[in-house]
Amino acid sequence: VQLQASGGGLVQTGGSLRLSCTASGRIYSSHIVGWFRQAPGKEREFVAGIRWSRDSTYYSDSAKGRFSISRDRSKNTVVLQMNSLKPEDTAVYFCATGSTQFGETSAADFRTWGQGTLVTVSS
């Protein structure tokens, strides 16, 4: 499977963005699709994840209440809806998938990665 992330851009504080991750190829039902982000000079961090088969979701503390992850199996797409954006959300956002445990947040446990999409939140 290959992943393609899109939807990044420049937005003001408090604004919203919708990121999409489209897969070419099969995502196995048991697999997790996750969104990660990496700010300049920082390590890649987990944002949100969803189990492909059951639509079960989990979030980082920084994303809870502001971000929502969902999937459209008919379009082979996972969407990250980001609301109430803050300057500290500025980062390159990546989607990834792997046969990992639900609740896993370590980037090392996700085998397949898409290219990143840049999100910039201005103050």
Side-chain angles (χ1 to χ4, degrees):
V1 63
Q2 292 184 323
L3 303 177
Q4 177 81 27
S6 61
L10 175 63
V11 65
Q12 291 185 334
T13 296
S16 298
L17 277 176
R18 183 180 174 91
L19 305 183
S20 293
C21 176
T22 301
S24 57
R26 180 183 179 184
I27 298 178
Y28 290 92
S29 296
S30 61
H31 284 196
I32 304 295
V33 178
W35 282 98
F36 291 76
R37 66 187 184 186
Q38 188 165 18
K42 295 188 176 182
E43 292 188 354
R44 192 168 297 189
E45 65 172 355
F46 172 82
V47 176
I50 186 167
R51 183 178 296 282
W52 186 247
S53 63
R54 295 189 175 183
D55 209 18
S56 303
T57 61
Y58 58 108
Y59 300 89
S60 66
D61 287 343
S62 63
K64 284 178 185 176
R66 299 189 300 128
F67 296 1
S68 177
I69 187 171
S70 60
R71 60 116 171 87
D72 185 335
R73 295 184 71 177
S74 67
K75 296 181 180 179
N76 239 23
T77 296
V78 172
V79 170
L80 183 68
Q81 177 67 43
M82 305 188 295
N83 301 324
S84 303
L85 284 163
K86 307 173 182 179
E88 51 263 44
D89 295 316
T90 295
V92 177
Y93 284 69
F94 300 86
C95 59
T97 189
S99 59
T100 187
Q101 299 288 327
F102 182 80
E104 181 59 64
T105 60
S106 171
D109 287 311
F110 289 77
R111 174 172 292 188
T112 302
W113 291 78
Q115 92 296 351
T117 185
L118 177 62
V119 171
T120 304
V121 184
S122 63
S123 57

